[in-house]
Structure formats: structure tokens, C-alpha cells
Amino acid sequence: MAGSGNAHLRPDALLSARDLVVEFPAAGGRTVYAISGVSLDLAEGETLGLVGESGCGKSTTGRAILQLPRPTSGTVQLAGQELTELDEDDIRKVRPRLQMIYQDPISSLNPRRRVRDIVAEPLFIALENVSRRTAMAVWQDRIGELLQNLLRRAAVPLRIVGRLASVAFVLWILSETVEERAAEGWLGWTQVPAAIIGFPTLALLLLAGAIALMLGLTWVLLAVMLPFGLMSRQFGEVSSAVGLAGVVVTTGASAFMLWRTWSSFGGWAKWLNSGGLILLTAVLAVWLLLSIAKPERAGASGVATTLSAMVVLQVFYVAGLDGGIKLAVLVASAVVDALLFRWVLRRYRANRDAEREQAEPRVREVLEYVGINPDDAMDRRPWEFSGGQAQRLSIARALVSVPQVIICDEPVSSLDVSVQAQILNLLEDLKNLMGLTLVFIAHDLAVVKNVSDRVAVMYLGKLCEVSEPDAMFDEPAHPYTELLLAAIPQPDPEAELGSGRIGGELPSPMDPPSGCRFRTRCPHAAQRCIDEEPEMREIAPGRFVACHTPLVGDSAPVRVEMASAPRGES
Amino acid sequence: MPDLSGSDERPLLDVAELRTTFHTPVGPLVAVDGVEWSLRRGARLGVVGESGSGKSVMSRSIMRLLPKSRVTSTGNVSFDGIDMMSLGRRELLEMWGPQLAMVFQDPLGSLNPVMKIGKQVGEGLRVHRDLSARAARSAALGLLEEVGIPEPHRRIDEYPHQLSGGMRQRIVIAIALACSPRLLIADEPTTALDVTVQAQILDLIEAQRAERNMSLVLITHDLGIVAGRTDEIIVMYAGRIVERAPTSTLFSDMRMPYTEALFRSIPKVTDDSHARLEIIGGQPPQMTDLPLGCKFAPRCKYAQDLCFAEEPALIEVPKAAPARSSISGSADDGEPDPAAGVHLYRCFYPVGTPEAAEAFERNIASGRVSEAGVVIRTDD
Ligand SMILES: Nc1ncnc2c1ncn2[C@@H]1O[C@H](COP(=O)(O)OP(=O)(O)OP(=O)(O)O)[C@@H](O)[C@H]1O
Ligand SMILES: Nc1ncnc2c1ncn2[C@@H]1O[C@H](COP(=O)(O)OP(=O)(O)O)[C@@H](O)[C@H]1O
Ligand code: SF4
Ligand code: SF4
Ligand SMILES: [Mg+2]
Ligand SMILES: [Mg+2]
């Protein structure tokens, strides 16, 4: 389209998004214009299909409606309530009314939780105490993002550093014995590299290795934890208490180590050596602090990492002690760890059982709706299900909190044809049964046509055409829609392979074309399309198009032979 | 259709009695069970079936790309007279690239994330053609251009993650084409891509195939993809071939209830919006615990007692039987090709016969199957 204008909007919509703009910062101070002024509305009980090429901004639109993240500008109203102005706590209260189903059913469900807990989760999100979200929580997000970006950009250097780090790490652990051996006059093999490149260099390398290793580890931990949403409040508190204890213990211990190594050995080499250890402690301490700041995200993995981090550090510190004390400390710390584990697990289970009991009837009900036998499924984990069953579970999860609107982002794209048909029929049944209102995102036009009451075609962050599906598919009005339709594979060997191909790739959303955004690939592009952005207008009852020369209506051009479409490649 | 008049040619690839078994903790899993087909030079074979039906395992067995342990693969795979099953690692390395190449479903997974694109594309050439680094680079540049990568001079020094999904798949194709293989096996090459890119990629594969007179095996679960782009189609279910026919015959005169069900479950743009889709009831079979008789019986709307007791053999459609609504069949079949022209199926009550119609009626009457043809009671 690439058009603006709001002619297609209606006043009585249940959900209405106006002029949504989402921009992401990109490298070199540039901006990704992911969506640029998309306006949509949705009447109660209606299914709106959203189609377009990969990268055109379908998911971004869906997520902007959910405020994940908040749009750069624009407004979203759900039943008259403005969402873009709500703070985090209130958004969370709205969330049960606005659910999302994702493309990849299995990986969008937490693999470590049982079906009963996964499905029940939305019931508890709204109840959670969110005032614990502090500035630290925001920082955890930022650090996570930063590390992910870093890692994306630095894939190669990181691999090298990672390898060096693992070598260095081993050497580092061994270097303690190097000095002991050297003192005995025995030249250990680990001393050879130290002798060759000089101990200071080695020490620096070790430090760099330790930093890289910790960065990598932190990133992995964050990556593991971040996607898996939210845990119950009490559990979060327990895990943060443990985390806090961990920080106190490790900080205390590192202070002790520092003092001890300095006083008993002296000398810069040992200092550096314990410096690495301190660094390790510091990084872990930051990590632990962060997970305290965000208890609702700490979850099972939070506790696991907190405890295992403690255990790792304990081992290091114990290794630094001598003789009889070593053994005593080792035994004591093992006992403490075991008790902690037990205590945490008990607290967690008690809380979980209470929640389960409370949620059970509702969970059973929705599982039955989606055609899953609750007795079989409740206590299994997501990866024990096929893709189609897992998608049914996601649907059950989305239904459990009686949402007003469900945004389905490519819910059948990763499924087999036969399973896809089951899921599409299921959504249709549930819609008739419960009066669901759906936004259905997909790139398969046949699928979109099947489920939608209204279809919106997107191109490079803007809307091209909004229309009732049968009319749109019989007679596409926007040149882009026409080319999209021609690309559909037909299960009929006699059907002509669509001759009009959209050549080339989508232009970069960092540098969208002037005027009509589709003009670089449009077979009908004229000077006017370069100069002037087309506005959304009604060309026939219920048909809205943003094109200067739509293919339907009074101003329709003589149809250009499709083969004259610009062919970038192939 | 490509020119198939290549006279006496024996098939390029001949697969017979191919059987691949995974030894899993819960018992043997026969992922491919006695598969037989052959492919002529320049011909295009489509393989369809639900996920888990054994399509990928079959192609990996042919390529000899199976995991090393806990797998047994037996049978005959003869590629241009070479017995693939007897080749050692070294000989296989020589075959992969110049003789057979494969394109996998997940383009990012099959590229090395930390190697520059140019190097990955040129690698095969350096190994098989003994090209220098410089020559390989310029050959890689040519290949990138051929597969439609815009600005190949810039892209050649980029890493895979810097490209879009469609471009990555083009790179994978460039790598597969680098040594001009005589057979390309494309395993769901576009399942991860959107329609427009999918169409571009399929066009690209077809153009390159025609230009190089390559044979193509196109694996997919979408009948729409193979419809206009293959000469012959194999339908797989539970590791077996359940139907095999020239493409136009398959669509005009399908015999196997499974093929029919697969076809009907696809939403079609030509249908009205909100048209009810016909689903295949039930689940794909548990591969470690297959039913006794016809493997499709628990989900089949025509299934009778016989189907549960005995497995039908793969038989040929009697020549006398007229194609029901063949529009084109006769045009091609002027001189039926003995190798590619056969129509085989594995069913006691083939679709379109009066026996099948009766069987369906009986199932509705007994309450096993709904009017819409979905199995509602499985406890037979
Ligand atoms: N977090 C982000 N940071 C930077 N750019 C982003 C981010 N998320 C999305 N984008 C960009 O915004 C544009 C729209 O992305 P979006 O995910 O909405 O596409 P889509 O239409 O859902 O595509 P697909 O069909 O592949 O899912 C793309 O160019 C994408 O690269
Ligand atoms: N490495 C493996 N070990 C055990 N079973 C496997 C392995 N790879 C595939 N299978 C099984 O073999 C069957 C066929 O799989 P596959 O060929 O991948 O199906 P598809 O038709 O989707 O390509 C499935 O039941 C699958 O679970
Ligand atoms: S005709 Fe002009 S306005 Fe219409 S889609 Fe093409 S480029 Fe855009
Ligand atoms: S009719 Fe019988 S033999 Fe044929 S597919 Fe159905 S179950 Fe199998
Ligand atoms: Mg998306
Ligand atoms: Mg596969």
C-alpha cells in the first residue's frame, strides 16, 4: 500500500487501533520503520485476517495491540478502554481479556511445566503482585537485550574468545598448582605457556576468558529464563529470598577470600588469581540481584541457577582453604545446600498444589473445549504432544481467562495440512460457541480466506486493502493483493502456475520507498505513486483500498498483462 | 513436462525394498518400510505425506545421511548403476555434490553460522573440482547471481544471519547446485517460507533443474506445491508408499482414501470463506506400534473388517478402469511410459468404486463415521 487514511474504520468496534507506529532502533543510529500508521478495527465476534509477506509487520501489529512492546505512537482501545496509557500493572490486568496464540506451538509452551499449570497460568497473572517490579527489573531487560545484541553481532569473535576462554579457564584452575609445583622446584606442563608468554599476559588472558565466559553464561541464563513468562508470587518471593541469601554469602565469602589471600600469600600473582574469582563472584552477584528484582520471572530456573551458582562458588572457595577446615566447610555447605533445596521445593509445592486445586475445574473445561482429554493430558509436558495437540493446548491456554479478543499469530503455519484443517475448524467452532473475536495473522491466503470475516493486506508496515474475503479473492483491488493471490500454489496440476510473480525482496524497512511503498515492485506504478502516498478509500461497499489506480472501480486501469511484472530474480 | 523421450535410458535412481529401522528404547521403529520407485534423468518426483510419514528418513537413507548408531537401513539404492548401500564414507563424499545433493527444510540450520557465504558456496567446488580459493570465489559469485541473490558482490562476504529466510534458502540451493548434481533432493524446501518467497524459490529450483537437466525429488506435505511442478507423485503413509501415479492421474483419479483425505483437508482459495474443511480424524499412527491391517484403517472412512485384519498390497490400477474425470490424462498417455506411467495404490476399497461407496454407507449406518466422513468411533 502504502497508504494512510481511515476510511475503512467503523465507530462501534470492540477493538480499535488507530495510526499505530512501531519503530525499532537499528545499528548505526538508523531506524527500522516496522509499522507506519496502521489503523484497524474489529467488531465483536468478527475475525480479522491479516496477511502479507514475511517482514511486512504482521506480528509487530499484533504485538503492538497487546502492548508488547508499546507502540511508538498511536492508540489502542479495547471496549472503550485506552491501552496505550495504562501503566504496567494495569496492562497486566487487561491481559486476560486480550490473549495471544503463537506460531510455534511447542516452543511457545514452557517445556518444564505440566499442561495443567501451563493452561492455568493466565488465571494467575492478573492476581500477581506487580508492585515488586523495580528499576532493577527494567535493567534486567536492558542487560538481556544488550547481551543478545552483542552476541548477535559478535558471533565470530565470541566463538574464538569462547574457545580461548575454556582453555584459559582450565589453565586458570590449574595455575594454583603451578605455583605450588614451582615452589617444589618441579616444572609442571601448565607452567610452560606461562613461562613462554609471561605470567602477566597469561593472567590477563585468564581474566578476559573469565569475563567472556561469565557474559556467555549470563546470556544463556537470561535467554533461558526470559521467554518463559511469569511464575506465582510466593514462588518468586522464595526464590528471591534464596537469591538474597546467596548474594550475602558470596559477597561475604569473597571479602573473606580477598583478605585471606592477601594476608597469607601476598604478591600480585595471587591477587590477580583471586581477582578472577572475585570477578566471577561479582558477576554472579549482579545476576542474583537481578533475579531478585524480578521475582515473577525467576521461576524454577531462577531457583536452580541461584542454587547452582552458589554451589559452584562454594567449591571455589573451599578449594582455597587448607587441610581439615576444607573438609569441614565442604560438608557444612553441602548440608546447607541440601536443606535449602528441600525448603524451597516444599514451599513451592505447597503453593503450586493450592493453585492447581483452585484452577482445576476451569482447566478441565477448556481442555475439553479444544478436544483434549483432560485425564490424559493434565499431567504431561508440552513436548510429549504432537504439533497439532500442542497448538490445541495453546488455544486452551488462551481461552482459559475468557478473553474478549485473541490474536493468533500464524497459528497453523508450522502444522501439517491435515492438522491445520483440524485447528482451523476448531477455531471456527469455538468462535460460534463463545462468540470469540479474533485477529488471525497468516501468510497463507487460502487459510486467511477460510477463517476471516474481513481481510487486511499489509505491505511494508502499511495497509493495502481491507475487504470482505470473497470479494477480495474474486477480484483483488490492490495490485499487491493480486500478485499475492497469483503466488498461491493450487492443488490442481491443470492450474496455471501463477505467471505474475512479485519479483525481488521486500525493500528495507529502514529505508521505505517514497509515496506508495509498493511502487518499487508494482506493475502499475506511475509518477504519481512516487510523489504521493495513496489514501485508504472505499471503492465499493465494504471494500477499502489504498492505491491511486485500484484494479476495481471506476478508475481501474486496463489490466496490464501480468507477465510484465518486474522480475527481480528467478 | 521435460523431454523424457531419452529413449532406452535406464533410470538414474532406482530404489528397491528400502527399509530403515530405528532401534528406539520402546522397540524398533520402521520409519521406511519396503519403499520402491525409480526416477529417470531429468524427471521430477513429488513425495507427499503428513509429518512423520517417513519422507525425510527415506531421502536420508538414499543419500546415506542417517545417524551412525541405532539405525539399520537395508535394500537396494542404485544411482546410475552405482550401489549406494555399499559405498564407504570416502566414496560417499565423492558422490555428495557432483552426483546427489540435498536441500533441507531449515535454511539457517543447514548453513554454517560463522562462515562467510562465499566460502560456503565455494567449498564444494574446492573439494570436488580442486579449484583455488580465488577460482572458487568467482564461481561462487556466479552461483549467487544464478540463484537470484541481489548484490552478490556484497552478499558474498556476509554471514547467513544477515540474510532473510528466502535469501538463505537461495544460498542453500546455490550450495547444492555448486557441483552441478545430477539429482537434487529438496526436503520441504519452502515449508518455512511465506507464499511469495515460496513461489520464487520453487520457480528457481525448476529453472535450474531444467537448465541442468537434473532430476528432482521434491518432498512436501502440501499437495498444492507438487501439483504443477512434478511428473509423478508418491504418497507416503506410515513409512510405506500408499499411492504412486503420474501427477495428472493422481489428481484426476486418486484411488487411495488417504490421498483423498489429504487433498480435501487443504483450504483452497477457490472455496468460499468459512467453508468447512474436511479433516482426517484421529492421529497419525504411532510408528512403534502400528495397527495390524491397513495402517490407515483407524482414520479411514471406508475401512471395513478386512482392512483391520489384513494389509492391502501395492497393486496397479487395472488398465481397463477408466479415469473418472480425466481431463488431460489421455493427452500424455498416447504412449504410456512403462516406468513412469503406472498408477499403484494400496487399498481394498479404492476411492470412486461402488465398493467404496457401499463401505462408506455401512460405516455411517454403524455410527463409526460421521456423515462428513470423519471417524468418530475407533473401538472396532
Ligand atoms: N525487536 C526488533 N528490533 C528491530 N527490528 C524488528 C524487531 N521486531 C521486528 N522488527 C522488524 O520489523 C519488521 C516487521 O516485523 P514482523 O515480525 O512484524 O514481520 P511479520 O510480518 O510478522 O513477518 P513473518 O511473516 O516473517 O512473521 C521487520 O522488518 C523486522 O525485521
Ligand atoms: N533419529 C531418529 N531416531 C528415531 N526415530 C526417528 C529418527 N528420525 C526419524 N524418526 C522417526 O521416523 C519416522 C519418520 O520420520 P521422518 O522421515 O522425519 O518424517 P517426515 O515424513 O515428516 O519427513 C517418524 O516416526 C520419526 O519419529
Ligand atoms: S498503482 Fe501506484 S499506488 Fe497503486 S499499488 Fe501500484 S504503486 Fe502503489
Ligand atoms: S479402505 Fe481399507 S484398505 Fe483402503 S485405505 Fe481405508 S482402511 Fe485402508
Ligand atoms: Mg511474524
Ligand atoms: Mg521431514
Side-chain angles (χ1 to χ4, degrees):
Chain A
M1 116 157 161
S4 46
N6 290 335
H8 59 294
L9 300 179
R10 296 159 296 186
D12 56 342
L14 172 64
L15 177 81
S16 68
R18 290 283 185 289
D19 304 315
L20 285 181
V21 174
V22 176
E23 290 166 6
F24 298 104
R30 304 178 67 188
T31 306
V32 177
Y33 300 97
I35 55 174
S36 314
V38 167
S39 300
L40 289 170
D41 62 13
L42 211 62
E44 195 160 353
E46 183 178 64
T47 301
L48 174 75
L50 201 53
V51 277
E53 263 165 285
S54 190
C56 71
K58 306 180 296 291
S59 305
T60 308
T61 306
R63 297 170 58 95
I65 292 172
L66 285 166
Q67 312 293 305
L68 279 173
R70 274 160 204 273
T72 313
S73 70
T75 63
V76 178
Q77 291 196 343
L78 177 64
Q81 186 181 17
E82 178 56 53
L83 303 186
T84 46
E85 283 160 13
L86 298 181
D87 64 24
E88 289 288 320
D89 284 15
D90 291 329
I91 281 286
R92 210 193 268 243
K93 288 189 192 122
V94 172
R95 206 132 278 166
R97 292 159 49 201
L98 198 56
Q99 285 288 329
M100 183 131 179
I101 299 172
Y102 297 91
Q103 168 168 1
D104 188 350
I106 295 184
S107 72
S108 68
L109 301 173
N110 186 338
R112 280 156 301 182
R113 304 196 73 196
R114 287 174 201 282
V115 165
R116 59 192 321 141
D117 301 324
I118 291 173
V119 173
E121 202 171 59
L123 292 174
F124 296 101
I125 289 177
L127 307 176
E128 252 160 47
N129 178 357
V130 286
S131 55
R132 300 177 121 268
R133 273 186 68 95
T134 58
M136 273 299 213
V138 178
W139 273 101
Q140 189 177 23
D141 273 349
R142 285 198 194 144
I143 292 177
E145 235 166 71
L146 192 88
L147 287 170
Q148 287 201 23
N149 275 336
L150 251 173
L151 207 87
R152 202 178 306 137
R153 279 197 212 132
V156 185
L158 259 183
R159 240 168 87 111
I160 297 164
V161 172
R163 282 202 187 141
L164 277 178
S166 47
V167 173
F169 200 65
V170 173
L171 288 177
W172 175 40
I173 291 165
L174 291 174
S175 64
E176 199 141 339
T177 51
V178 170
E179 274 165 79
E180 283 165 20
R181 297 280 176 272
E184 290 165 13
W186 185 83
L187 205 75
W189 65 270
T190 46
Q191 213 174 353
V192 177
I196 293 170
I197 57 176
F199 196 71
T201 326
L202 181 64
L204 278 178
L205 199 68
L206 297 177
L207 250 164
I211 293 172
L213 195 77
M214 286 323 297
L215 278 178
L217 198 63
T218 315
W219 179 78
V220 169
L221 293 177
L222 281 167
V224 168
M225 295 178 57
L226 289 182
F228 293 126
L230 314 140
M231 297 292 287
S232 71
R233 178 164 50 92
Q234 289 91 331
F235 186 33
E237 275 168 7
V238 173
S239 95
S240 52
V242 175
L244 189 64
V247 173
V248 171
V249 170
T250 49
T251 322
S254 53
F256 171 74
M257 259 313 271
L258 202 66
W259 165 77
R260 194 176 167 284
T261 46
W262 178 248
S263 58
S264 59
F265 297 100
W268 57 271
K270 263 294 184 200
W271 248 102
L272 263 183
N273 212 345
S274 59
L277 196 54
I278 288 158
L279 197 82
L280 191 82
T281 310
V283 174
L284 271 176
V286 170
W287 158 245
L288 293 173
L289 264 174
L290 291 174
S291 60
I292 293 164
K294 210 165 192 181
E296 72 276 12
R297 286 203 167 172
S301 49
V303 173
T305 46
T306 307
L307 289 174
S308 43
M310 281 177 61
V311 172
V312 168
L313 282 176
Q314 277 164 355
V315 168
F316 277 112
Y317 290 123
V318 168
L321 301 173
D322 331 286
I325 294 187
K326 200 177 210 162
L327 192 68
V329 173
L330 196 68
V331 171
S333 61
V335 170
V336 170
D337 290 348
L339 287 174
L340 263 177
F341 264 111
R342 261 180 64 113
W343 178 65
V344 169
L345 270 179
R346 263 231 300 279
R347 289 284 309 257
Y348 168 58
R349 289 215 179 106
N351 167 58
R352 188 193 60 188
D353 291 344
E355 275 188 357
R356 276 185 177 170
E357 201 175 317
Q358 197 186 337
E360 174 144 355
R362 178 70 187 148
V363 171
R364 280 182 171 277
E365 196 180 344
V366 288
L367 284 177
E368 270 160 23
Y369 279 146
V370 299
I372 298 263
N373 181 348
D375 294 317
D376 281 355
M378 294 270 267
D379 289 305
R380 287 159 70 194
R381 295 196 164 82
W383 41 265
E384 297 173 43
F385 293 87
S386 70
Q389 289 172 321
Q391 197 56 287
R392 286 170 191 264
L393 296 177
S394 317
I395 295 173
R397 185 178 190 277
L399 289 176
V400 77
S401 56
V402 199
Q404 283 171 303
V405 176
I406 303 182
I407 295 177
C408 314
D409 191 357
E410 313 241 8
V412 295
S413 302
S414 63
L415 305 176
D416 228 287
V417 268
S418 62
V419 184
Q420 168 178 310
Q422 295 173 3
I423 297 292
L424 292 176
N425 282 352
L426 171 68
L427 281 173
E428 197 80 17
D429 291 342
L430 291 172
K431 200 179 126 188
N432 296 334
L433 191 71
M434 308 181 179
L436 294 178
T437 307
L438 304 176
V439 176
F440 193 99
I441 300 174
H443 61 247
D444 185 331
L445 286 111
V447 166
V448 166
K449 180 179 183 188
N450 184 269
V451 297
S452 307
D453 301 308
R454 234 180 165 207
V455 176
V457 181
M458 272 189 90
Y459 184 77
L460 203 61
K462 297 218 174 201
L463 290 181
C464 296
E465 179 167 0
V466 179
S467 176
E468 178 271 317
D470 289 322
M472 180 190 285
F473 282 70
D474 284 347
E475 216 184 0
H478 195 283
Y480 179 60
T481 316
E482 182 177 46
L483 290 174
L484 267 185
L485 288 175
I488 305 174
Q490 299 281 342
D492 173 6
E494 311 304 323
E496 226 180 293
L497 289 182
S499 52
R501 282 280 182 275
I502 311 177
E505 300 247 334
L506 203 65
S508 164
M510 284 193 259
D511 186 20
S514 68
C516 173
R517 288 199 172 180
F518 186 51
R519 70 173 167 81
T520 52
R521 297 159 90 191
C522 178
H524 309 291
Q527 184 58 39
R528 184 171 174 211
C529 310
I530 301 176
D531 302 333
E532 194 186 323
E533 181 174 357
E535 283 241 337
M536 188 66 85
R537 61 200 166 94
E538 186 162 16
I539 50 152
R543 303 206 58 187
F544 301 89
V545 179
C547 171
H548 293 309
T549 48
L551 306 174
V552 174
D554 314 331
S555 52
V558 187
R559 288 215 176 197
V560 176
E561 193 44 47
M562 294 254 285
S564 70
R567 317 193 102 210
E569 34 208 287
S570 65
Chain B
M1 269 214 183
D3 183 12
L4 298 172
S5 54
S7 64
D8 70 318
E9 273 190 55
R10 68 196 150 127
L12 177 68
L13 181 68
D14 199 11
V15 180
E17 275 304 305
L18 183 63
R19 182 168 284 105
T20 302
T21 310
F22 292 101
H23 304 284
T24 71
V26 286
L29 185 159
V30 187
V32 175
D33 198 352
V35 164
E36 254 181 81
W37 50 270
S38 63
L39 185 66
R40 285 155 306 142
R41 248 164 270 267
R44 308 168 297 175
L45 175 77
V47 180
V48 291
E50 279 167 285
S51 74
S53 58
K55 308 181 296 293
S56 302
V57 174
M58 179 180 79
S59 48
R60 286 172 169 275
S61 308
I62 292 168
M63 291 285 288
R64 298 276 318 274
L65 273 170
L66 291 167
K68 285 197 194 67
S69 61
R70 309 192 143 271
V71 191
T72 337
S73 189
T74 58
N76 294 313
V77 176
S78 139
F79 181 87
D80 199 20
I82 302 169
D83 177 12
M84 290 290 289
M85 303 304 263
S86 69
L87 297 186
R89 182 89 196 152
R90 216 165 231 287
E91 294 148 317
L92 281 171
L93 282 174
E94 272 164 31
M95 298 287 287
W96 293 333
Q99 303 293 340
L100 318 86
M102 192 157 171
V103 172
F104 298 92
Q105 170 171 353
D106 167 24
L108 199 53
S110 47
L111 290 171
N112 182 344
V114 294
M115 195 193 268
K116 286 185 182 164
I117 283 155
K119 212 165 162 210
Q120 301 195 44
V121 175
E123 210 180 16
L125 288 169
R126 294 195 59 184
V127 174
H128 292 287
R129 300 266 161 87
D130 250 343
L131 292 189
S132 68
R134 182 178 295 236
R137 189 182 159 90
S138 71
L141 208 58
L143 276 162
L144 291 186
E145 219 158 302
E146 255 180 280
V147 297
I149 299 280
E151 306 172 77
H153 288 275
R154 181 159 70 84
R155 299 295 184 185
I156 195 168
D157 288 318
E158 290 191 343
Y159 292 94
H161 70 94
Q162 289 168 288
L163 304 180
S164 70
M167 283 213 262
R168 280 179 211 142
Q169 196 59 293
R170 284 172 197 269
I171 301 289
V172 174
I173 292 171
I175 294 173
L177 293 178
C179 300
S180 302
R182 298 161 69 197
L183 170 68
L184 180 70
I185 302 182
D187 188 359
E188 314 224 13
T190 58
T191 304
L193 306 174
D194 75 52
V195 258
T196 53
V197 185
Q198 165 172 296
Q200 292 175 357
I201 295 289
L202 292 172
D203 287 352
L204 169 68
I205 291 180
E206 175 52 27
Q208 292 291 329
R209 188 205 60 79
E211 195 181 310
R212 293 157 190 261
N213 194 29
M214 243 175 5
S215 305
L216 173 71
V217 176
L218 183 59
I219 300 175
T220 170
H221 62 246
D222 187 347
L223 274 168
I225 288 179
V226 285
R229 303 177 186 274
T230 54
D231 308 315
E232 194 181 10
I233 294 178
I234 283 175
V235 182
M236 286 186 75
Y237 191 78
R240 292 152 173 75
I241 293 181
V242 292
E243 184 156 16
R244 172 179 149 195
T247 303
S248 55
T249 314
L250 185 87
F251 281 93
S252 60
D253 187 26
M254 51 184 67
R255 289 304 170 110
M256 183 65 196
Y258 176 63
T259 315
E260 181 191 43
L262 207 55
F263 179 77
R264 293 211 172 155
S265 65
I266 312 174
K268 299 168 191 72
V269 263
T270 44
D271 290 348
D272 283 345
S273 151
H274 300 289
R276 189 82 187 162
L277 298 169
E278 284 187 36
I279 59 171
I280 310 179
Q283 302 290 322
Q286 186 82 43
M287 291 294 288
T288 45
D289 184 21
L290 287 174
L292 253 188
C294 173
K295 307 305 168 225
F296 186 55
R299 304 167 75 189
C300 179
K301 66 179 179 185
Y302 307 108
Q304 300 294 303
D305 289 345
L306 174 63
C307 309
F308 287 93
E310 204 179 301
E311 181 164 14
L314 193 62
I315 55 166
E316 194 171 346
V317 175
K319 280 276 176 264
R324 272 178 305 148
S325 57
S326 173
I327 320 156
S328 69
S330 49
D332 296 338
D333 295 352
E335 215 246 308
D337 190 302
V342 290
H343 183 177
L344 304 173
Y345 66 96
R346 193 189 277 280
C347 176
F348 294 125
Y349 303 91
V351 178
T353 60
E355 293 80 16
E358 268 168 41
F360 184 36
E361 289 302 323
R362 267 200 297 278
N363 281 337
I364 294 178
S366 74
R368 182 180 168 267
V369 168
S370 73
E371 298 272 347
V374 178
V375 176
I376 40 189
R377 217 186 61 224
T378 46
D379 46 67
D380 267 54

